[in-house]
Amino acid sequence: MATLTLERKTQHVNKPFEPDVVFFEPQALEYPLGKELMNRFKGSNTPIQMTTSHNQVRGIQGESGSPEWYRNAKRTLVVGVKRSLKFEPSKPSAEYAIPLATGCMAHCHYCYLNTNVGTKPYIRVYVNLEEIYGQAEKYMRERAPEITRFEAACTSDPVGIEHITGSLKRTIEYFGQQELGRLRFVTKFANVDSLLDAKHNGHTRFRFSINADYVIRNFEPATSSFLDRIEAAKKVAEAGYPLGFIAAPLYRFDGWKEGYEDLFELLARALPSSATKDLTFELIQHRFTKVAKNLILARYPKTKLEMDETKRQYKWGKYGRGKYVYKKDEAAELQMHLERLVHSYFPQAEISYFT
Ligand code: SF4
């Protein structure tokens, strides 16, 4: 059934991201990571600027809000301090979102950050890690003796910037020592080597975002290729991490059934049996809001992403803010097909949810 070959797809390589310009908030330099990052960038050709706050970042090229400005903003790094230490909830996969960074350099058309960090698409990394861990500890204490799960990918892709900050490895090792805390994150990037020797103690679930080849090729520019992600997943499983895949967004393109079957066939062929011992799948159908649709069309005017409200069903959400999801029968068909694929290719895996 699979028409793709591993050999053809391994040609694809991604260079780790380097920003065009980096801004520092002065307070960031009071923290060891802030100083480390200042030294890193002083030793490079990247222009450095100071800013009183990330809200004051100025000088991004292009008319504010235009595709050019948006592209340049995504190549801008801000090194700062996380001031509000109230963590957001992160249902259904975790209790809390742990804030390490916001923004991402990739250009997935349907990225949830389009609306989450809409007017501030630059990448912001936080250096006050000890304070962030202190807050996590409070949440763990409140829920003891229950385990508390923290999601590190709610506002960015933490693997994509790990070669710059090293924050994810520190956080993995922090949770490795926590009896009642677990970490999880998801990535579309394959540069995982620096995380393989982290002392994770099995407390971090390392998930990769996967999709049919058609979807990755058309809607996920500047991320790692599917095959590179699978190579990375193999390494992560061999390093003893609990592994997971988020198949999202599940998207009904022409030939979607075969496309997703190809994906699972390739995945099953590529993964070693050690990777499938503790394996989870999260299944998320494509959805959009009116606000997201307008932003996507402004930023990626040539996108082929289908966002026709008349073909969808409106699902009411919290605070009266709803989303367009597939109509009931189409969503049920997606769910059935994907669940069948998980069960037949990975009978021992757990499906965490379909939404
Ligand atoms: Fe958004 Fe993730 Fe794509 Fe980055 S990799 S643009 S965070 S969906």
Side-chain angles (χ1 to χ4, degrees):
M1 175 72 79
T3 52
L4 306 167
T5 66
L6 295 180
E7 294 70 31
R8 179 171 71 77
K9 299 212 74 204
T10 40
Q11 307 295 320
H12 206 92
V13 182
N14 254 351
K15 244 175 52 195
F17 165 75
E18 282 301 322
D20 290 345
V21 54
V22 54
F23 288 84
F24 280 82
E25 294 174 7
Q27 229 195 323
L29 300 175
E30 293 166 19
Y31 295 85
L33 179 56
K35 289 184 193 143
E36 227 177 83
L37 289 172
M38 178 57 97
N39 288 335
R40 179 193 194 276
F41 285 108
K42 269 187 178 163
S44 74
N45 292 326
T46 312
I48 299 173
Q49 294 190 36
M50 299 304 290
T51 179
T52 46
S53 148
H54 75 102
N55 289 316
Q56 302 301 320
V57 166
R58 298 281 183 270
I60 295 173
Q61 302 259 304
E63 189 189 331
S64 179
S66 68
E68 184 199 0
W69 173 86
Y70 183 65
R71 266 195 314 277
N72 290 328
K74 272 180 164 269
R75 301 200 51 81
T76 301
L77 180 70
V78 182
V79 178
V81 172
K82 178 71 182 156
R83 292 190 179 88
S84 155
L85 287 172
K86 186 175 175 294
F87 292 8
E88 296 294 327
S90 176
K91 294 287 177 196
S93 72
E95 277 70 42
Y96 291 104
I98 184 164
L100 302 178
T102 64
C104 176
M105 72 298 292
H107 282 275
C108 306
H109 295 187
Y110 35 59
C111 177
Y112 51 99
L113 299 181
N114 278 323
T115 44
N116 279 15
V117 294
T119 55
K120 300 183 176 62
Y122 42 75
I123 300 163
R124 190 164 180 230
V125 295
Y126 301 124
V127 294
N128 52 332
L129 294 179
E130 294 306 322
E131 289 163 15
I132 293 167
Y133 300 155
Q135 183 66 24
E137 230 160 281
K138 282 189 198 155
Y139 290 124
M140 284 185 264
R141 270 202 304 274
E142 274 171 24
R143 285 177 42 87
E146 296 289 316
I147 297 274
T148 304
R149 296 166 304 167
F150 295 88
E151 168 68 63
C154 283
T155 51
S156 75
D157 187 313
V159 176
I161 45 178
E162 177 63 6
H163 59 288
I164 297 177
T165 64
S167 299
L168 191 55
K169 184 171 187 182
R170 286 174 214 185
T171 307
I172 290 170
E173 296 198 329
Y174 168 77
F175 280 101
Q177 294 165 359
Q178 303 306 312
E179 204 187 323
L180 296 178
R182 297 290 180 272
L183 182 68
R184 49 178 49 221
F185 53 84
V186 59
T187 185
K188 289 185 170 73
F189 290 94
N191 45 318
V192 299
D193 288 1
S194 68
L195 301 171
L196 299 178
D197 65 351
K199 295 177 193 67
H200 59 77
N201 203 15
H203 289 186
T204 290
R205 185 167 295 277
F206 206 131
R207 290 125 84 223
F208 288 87
S209 170
I210 51 169
N211 218 315
D213 181 59
Y214 170 90
V215 179
I216 293 183
R217 271 191 296 109
N218 283 290
F219 306 122
E220 299 189 355
T223 61
S224 296
S225 72
F226 169 70
L227 245 278
D228 287 347
R229 292 181 210 176
I230 300 313
E231 278 301 314
K234 266 161 76 174
K235 292 186 199 168
V236 159
E238 279 155 11
Y241 282 96
L243 184 66
F245 291 104
I246 302 193
L250 296 169
Y251 182 73
R252 293 175 64 105
F253 54 96
D254 276 348
W256 66 269
K257 284 192 178 166
E258 295 74 25
Y260 284 111
E261 177 106 36
D262 288 351
L263 163 71
F264 274 81
E265 196 184 329
L266 274 177
L267 199 56
R269 261 205 284 156
L271 283 183
S273 56
S274 61
T276 61
K277 282 195 196 108
D278 180 1
L279 183 61
T280 58
F281 282 89
E282 292 156 77
L283 307 174
I284 306 175
Q285 63 168 306
H286 179 244
R287 72 258 335 267
F288 62 92
T289 61
K290 270 200 190 300
V291 176
K293 176 177 173 176
N294 291 337
L295 283 170
I296 293 166
L297 293 176
R299 287 168 182 172
Y300 307 107
K302 293 193 184 136
T303 187
K304 290 195 221 163
L305 194 62
E306 180 276 304
M307 293 178 287
D308 179 350
E309 291 87 345
T310 63
K311 294 187 179 158
R312 301 293 183 106
Q313 153 185 322
Y314 194 70
K315 187 175 162 194
W316 288 99
K318 268 196 241 161
Y319 317 115
R321 280 189 300 226
K323 294 167 182 180
Y324 291 95
V325 295
Y326 285 112
K327 289 192 171 159
K328 212 168 158 200
D329 292 353
E330 291 190 340
E333 196 185 15
L334 255 182
Q335 179 171 8
M336 247 173 54
H337 187 59
L338 268 291
E339 288 183 354
R340 183 188 69 72
L341 292 174
V342 175
H343 293 314
S344 55
Y345 286 98
F346 300 99
Q348 63 286 61
E350 176 198 315
I351 298 176
S352 308
Y353 55 85
F354 171 94
T355 179

PDB file of all heavy atoms in Angstrom, residues 225-244:
ATOM      1  N   SER A 225      11.376  17.018   8.196  1.00  0.00           N
ATOM      2  CA  SER A 225      10.567  16.124   7.367  1.00  0.00           C
ATOM      3  C   SER A 225      10.032  14.968   8.224  1.00  0.00           C
ATOM      4  O   SER A 225      10.559  14.682   9.305  1.00  0.00           O
ATOM      5  CB  SER A 225      11.413  15.540   6.245  1.00  0.00           C
ATOM      6  OG  SER A 225      12.308  14.593   6.801  1.00  0.00           O
ATOM      7  N   PHE A 226       9.043  14.303   7.698  1.00  0.00           N
ATOM      8  CA  PHE A 226       8.458  13.170   8.416  1.00  0.00           C
ATOM      9  C   PHE A 226       9.526  12.137   8.765  1.00  0.00           C
ATOM     10  O   PHE A 226       9.633  11.672   9.892  1.00  0.00           O
ATOM     11  CB  PHE A 226       7.362  12.532   7.558  1.00  0.00           C
ATOM     12  CG  PHE A 226       6.891  11.216   8.095  1.00  0.00           C
ATOM     13  CD1 PHE A 226       6.154  11.158   9.274  1.00  0.00           C
ATOM     14  CD2 PHE A 226       7.190  10.030   7.445  1.00  0.00           C
ATOM     15  CE1 PHE A 226       5.737   9.947   9.783  1.00  0.00           C
ATOM     16  CE2 PHE A 226       6.774   8.812   7.957  1.00  0.00           C
ATOM     17  CZ  PHE A 226       6.042   8.767   9.119  1.00  0.00           C
ATOM     18  N   LEU A 227      10.346  11.795   7.773  1.00  0.00           N
ATOM     19  CA  LEU A 227      11.335  10.742   8.008  1.00  0.00           C
ATOM     20  C   LEU A 227      12.389  11.158   9.027  1.00  0.00           C
ATOM     21  O   LEU A 227      12.833  10.349   9.837  1.00  0.00           O
ATOM     22  CB  LEU A 227      11.977  10.346   6.687  1.00  0.00           C
ATOM     23  CG  LEU A 227      11.695   8.917   6.257  1.00  0.00           C
ATOM     24  CD1 LEU A 227      12.624   7.951   6.944  1.00  0.00           C
ATOM     25  CD2 LEU A 227      10.246   8.520   6.531  1.00  0.00           C
ATOM     26  N   ASP A 228      12.751  12.427   9.019  1.00  0.00           N
ATOM     27  CA  ASP A 228      13.707  12.903  10.026  1.00  0.00           C
ATOM     28  C   ASP A 228      13.074  12.822  11.424  1.00  0.00           C
ATOM     29  O   ASP A 228      13.740  12.495  12.403  1.00  0.00           O
ATOM     30  CB  ASP A 228      14.157  14.333   9.722  1.00  0.00           C
ATOM     31  CG  ASP A 228      15.110  14.371   8.536  1.00  0.00           C
ATOM     32  OD1 ASP A 228      15.603  13.296   8.130  1.00  0.00           O
ATOM     33  OD2 ASP A 228      15.352  15.468   7.993  1.00  0.00           O
ATOM     34  N   ARG A 229      11.787  13.112  11.500  1.00  0.00           N
ATOM     35  CA  ARG A 229      11.113  13.008  12.802  1.00  0.00           C
ATOM     36  C   ARG A 229      11.116  11.548  13.284  1.00  0.00           C
ATOM     37  O   ARG A 229      11.291  11.273  14.471  1.00  0.00           O
ATOM     38  CB  ARG A 229       9.658  13.507  12.701  1.00  0.00           C
ATOM     39  CG  ARG A 229       9.561  14.982  12.450  1.00  0.00           C
ATOM     40  CD  ARG A 229       8.104  15.435  12.384  1.00  0.00           C
ATOM     41  NE  ARG A 229       7.970  16.585  11.491  1.00  0.00           N
ATOM     42  CZ  ARG A 229       6.826  17.159  11.169  1.00  0.00           C
ATOM     43  NH1 ARG A 229       5.697  16.719  11.675  1.00  0.00           N
ATOM     44  NH2 ARG A 229       6.789  18.189  10.341  1.00  0.00           N
ATOM     45  N   ILE A 230      10.914  10.623  12.343  1.00  0.00           N
ATOM     46  CA  ILE A 230      10.864   9.207  12.742  1.00  0.00           C
ATOM     47  C   ILE A 230      12.246   8.724  13.176  1.00  0.00           C
ATOM     48  O   ILE A 230      12.386   7.980  14.144  1.00  0.00           O
ATOM     49  CB  ILE A 230      10.340   8.332  11.575  1.00  0.00           C
ATOM     50  CG1 ILE A 230       8.937   8.787  11.207  1.00  0.00           C
ATOM     51  CG2 ILE A 230      10.305   6.844  11.951  1.00  0.00           C
ATOM     52  CD1 ILE A 230       8.016   8.983  12.368  1.00  0.00           C
ATOM     53  N   GLU A 231      13.279   9.183  12.449  1.00  0.00           N
ATOM     54  CA  GLU A 231      14.654   8.845  12.863  1.00  0.00           C
ATOM     55  C   GLU A 231      14.883   9.347  14.285  1.00  0.00           C
ATOM     56  O   GLU A 231      15.475   8.667  15.120  1.00  0.00           O
ATOM     57  CB  GLU A 231      15.662   9.534  11.920  1.00  0.00           C
ATOM     58  CG  GLU A 231      15.887   8.796  10.627  1.00  0.00           C
ATOM     59  CD  GLU A 231      16.406   7.389  10.851  1.00  0.00           C
ATOM     60  OE1 GLU A 231      17.334   7.207  11.654  1.00  0.00           O
ATOM     61  OE2 GLU A 231      15.835   6.462  10.237  1.00  0.00           O
ATOM     62  N   ALA A 232      14.428  10.565  14.547  1.00  0.00           N
ATOM     63  CA  ALA A 232      14.596  11.157  15.878  1.00  0.00           C
ATOM     64  C   ALA A 232      13.800  10.352  16.917  1.00  0.00           C
ATOM     65  O   ALA A 232      14.283  10.106  18.030  1.00  0.00           O
ATOM     66  CB  ALA A 232      14.135  12.606  15.859  1.00  0.00           C
ATOM     67  N   ALA A 233      12.599   9.911  16.537  1.00  0.00           N
ATOM     68  CA  ALA A 233      11.767   9.137  17.471  1.00  0.00           C
ATOM     69  C   ALA A 233      12.466   7.830  17.842  1.00  0.00           C
ATOM     70  O   ALA A 233      12.407   7.380  19.003  1.00  0.00           O
ATOM     71  CB  ALA A 233      10.406   8.859  16.847  1.00  0.00           C
ATOM     72  N   LYS A 234      13.136   7.232  16.870  1.00  0.00           N
ATOM     73  CA  LYS A 234      13.877   5.990  17.147  1.00  0.00           C
ATOM     74  C   LYS A 234      14.948   6.235  18.204  1.00  0.00           C
ATOM     75  O   LYS A 234      15.094   5.491  19.173  1.00  0.00           O
ATOM     76  CB  LYS A 234      14.584   5.511  15.866  1.00  0.00           C
ATOM     77  CG  LYS A 234      13.781   4.518  15.087  1.00  0.00           C
ATOM     78  CD  LYS A 234      14.242   4.410  13.665  1.00  0.00           C
ATOM     79  CE  LYS A 234      15.526   3.631  13.469  1.00  0.00           C
ATOM     80  NZ  LYS A 234      15.815   3.451  12.020  1.00  0.00           N
ATOM     81  N   LYS A 235      15.692   7.320  18.024  1.00  0.00           N
ATOM     82  CA  LYS A 235      16.766   7.648  18.972  1.00  0.00           C
ATOM     83  C   LYS A 235      16.193   7.895  20.365  1.00  0.00           C
ATOM     84  O   LYS A 235      16.756   7.471  21.370  1.00  0.00           O
ATOM     85  CB  LYS A 235      17.492   8.931  18.528  1.00  0.00           C
ATOM     86  CG  LYS A 235      18.286   8.816  17.261  1.00  0.00           C
ATOM     87  CD  LYS A 235      19.040  10.144  17.086  1.00  0.00           C
ATOM     88  CE  LYS A 235      19.507  10.363  15.674  1.00  0.00           C
ATOM     89  NZ  LYS A 235      19.971  11.734  15.441  1.00  0.00           N
ATOM     90  N   VAL A 236      15.072   8.599  20.403  1.00  0.00           N
ATOM     91  CA  VAL A 236      14.444   8.950  21.675  1.00  0.00           C
ATOM     92  C   VAL A 236      13.976   7.679  22.401  1.00  0.00           C
ATOM     93  O   VAL A 236      14.148   7.517  23.607  1.00  0.00           O
ATOM     94  CB  VAL A 236      13.275   9.923  21.391  1.00  0.00           C
ATOM     95  CG1 VAL A 236      12.267   9.959  22.498  1.00  0.00           C
ATOM     96  CG2 VAL A 236      13.822  11.315  21.118  1.00  0.00           C
ATOM     97  N   ALA A 237      13.403   6.745  21.622  1.00  0.00           N
ATOM     98  CA  ALA A 237      12.945   5.481  22.224  1.00  0.00           C
ATOM     99  C   ALA A 237      14.150   4.691  22.730  1.00  0.00           C
ATOM    100  O   ALA A 237      14.113   4.114  23.828  1.00  0.00           O
ATOM    101  CB  ALA A 237      12.176   4.676  21.192  1.00  0.00           C
ATOM    102  N   GLU A 238      15.217   4.689  21.951  1.00  0.00           N
ATOM    103  CA  GLU A 238      16.416   3.953  22.384  1.00  0.00           C
ATOM    104  C   GLU A 238      17.023   4.583  23.627  1.00  0.00           C
ATOM    105  O   GLU A 238      17.681   3.909  24.417  1.00  0.00           O
ATOM    106  CB  GLU A 238      17.438   3.871  21.236  1.00  0.00           C
ATOM    107  CG  GLU A 238      17.087   2.750  20.263  1.00  0.00           C
ATOM    108  CD  GLU A 238      17.627   2.969  18.852  1.00  0.00           C
ATOM    109  OE1 GLU A 238      18.463   3.887  18.665  1.00  0.00           O
ATOM    110  OE2 GLU A 238      17.199   2.214  17.953  1.00  0.00           O
ATOM    111  N   ALA A 239      16.785   5.877  23.832  1.00  0.00           N
ATOM    112  CA  ALA A 239      17.288   6.551  25.044  1.00  0.00           C
ATOM    113  C   ALA A 239      16.357   6.300  26.238  1.00  0.00           C
ATOM    114  O   ALA A 239      16.556   6.882  27.309  1.00  0.00           O
ATOM    115  CB  ALA A 239      17.446   8.044  24.782  1.00  0.00           C
ATOM    116  N   GLY A 240      15.340   5.479  26.035  1.00  0.00           N
ATOM    117  CA  GLY A 240      14.488   5.051  27.152  1.00  0.00           C
ATOM    118  C   GLY A 240      13.347   5.982  27.509  1.00  0.00           C
ATOM    119  O   GLY A 240      12.658   5.784  28.512  1.00  0.00           O
ATOM    120  N   TYR A 241      13.093   6.992  26.704  1.00  0.00           N
ATOM    121  CA  TYR A 241      11.960   7.887  26.987  1.00  0.00           C
ATOM    122  C   TYR A 241      10.651   7.183  26.647  1.00  0.00           C
ATOM    123  O   TYR A 241      10.562   6.513  25.605  1.00  0.00           O
ATOM    124  CB  TYR A 241      12.014   9.108  26.072  1.00  0.00           C
ATOM    125  CG  TYR A 241      12.984  10.197  26.431  1.00  0.00           C
ATOM    126  CD1 TYR A 241      14.252  10.248  25.855  1.00  0.00           C
ATOM    127  CD2 TYR A 241      12.623  11.223  27.304  1.00  0.00           C
ATOM    128  CE1 TYR A 241      15.138  11.283  26.143  1.00  0.00           C
ATOM    129  CE2 TYR A 241      13.502  12.252  27.591  1.00  0.00           C
ATOM    130  CZ  TYR A 241      14.751  12.281  27.009  1.00  0.00           C
ATOM    131  OH  TYR A 241      15.626  13.304  27.289  1.00  0.00           O
ATOM    132  N   PRO A 242       9.599   7.368  27.439  1.00  0.00           N
ATOM    133  CA  PRO A 242       8.260   7.002  26.959  1.00  0.00           C
ATOM    134  C   PRO A 242       7.974   7.852  25.716  1.00  0.00           C
ATOM    135  O   PRO A 242       8.275   9.046  25.691  1.00  0.00           O
ATOM    136  CB  PRO A 242       7.337   7.421  28.112  1.00  0.00           C
ATOM    137  CG  PRO A 242       8.233   7.517  29.319  1.00  0.00           C
ATOM    138  CD  PRO A 242       9.590   7.913  28.802  1.00  0.00           C
ATOM    139  N   LEU A 243       7.421   7.216  24.669  1.00  0.00           N
ATOM    140  CA  LEU A 243       7.276   7.887  23.376  1.00  0.00           C
ATOM    141  C   LEU A 243       5.798   8.111  23.050  1.00  0.00           C
ATOM    142  O   LEU A 243       4.940   7.341  23.483  1.00  0.00           O
ATOM    143  CB  LEU A 243       7.916   6.989  22.311  1.00  0.00           C
ATOM    144  CG  LEU A 243       7.999   7.481  20.890  1.00  0.00           C
ATOM    145  CD1 LEU A 243       8.921   8.693  20.765  1.00  0.00           C
ATOM    146  CD2 LEU A 243       8.526   6.358  19.968  1.00  0.00           C
ATOM    147  N   GLY A 244       5.518   9.142  22.310  1.00  0.00           N
ATOM    148  CA  GLY A 244       4.139   9.372  21.889  1.00  0.00           C
ATOM    149  C   GLY A 244       4.102  10.040  20.525  1.00  0.00           C
ATOM    150  O   GLY A 244       5.089  10.643  20.089  1.00  0.00           O
TER     151      GLY A 244
END
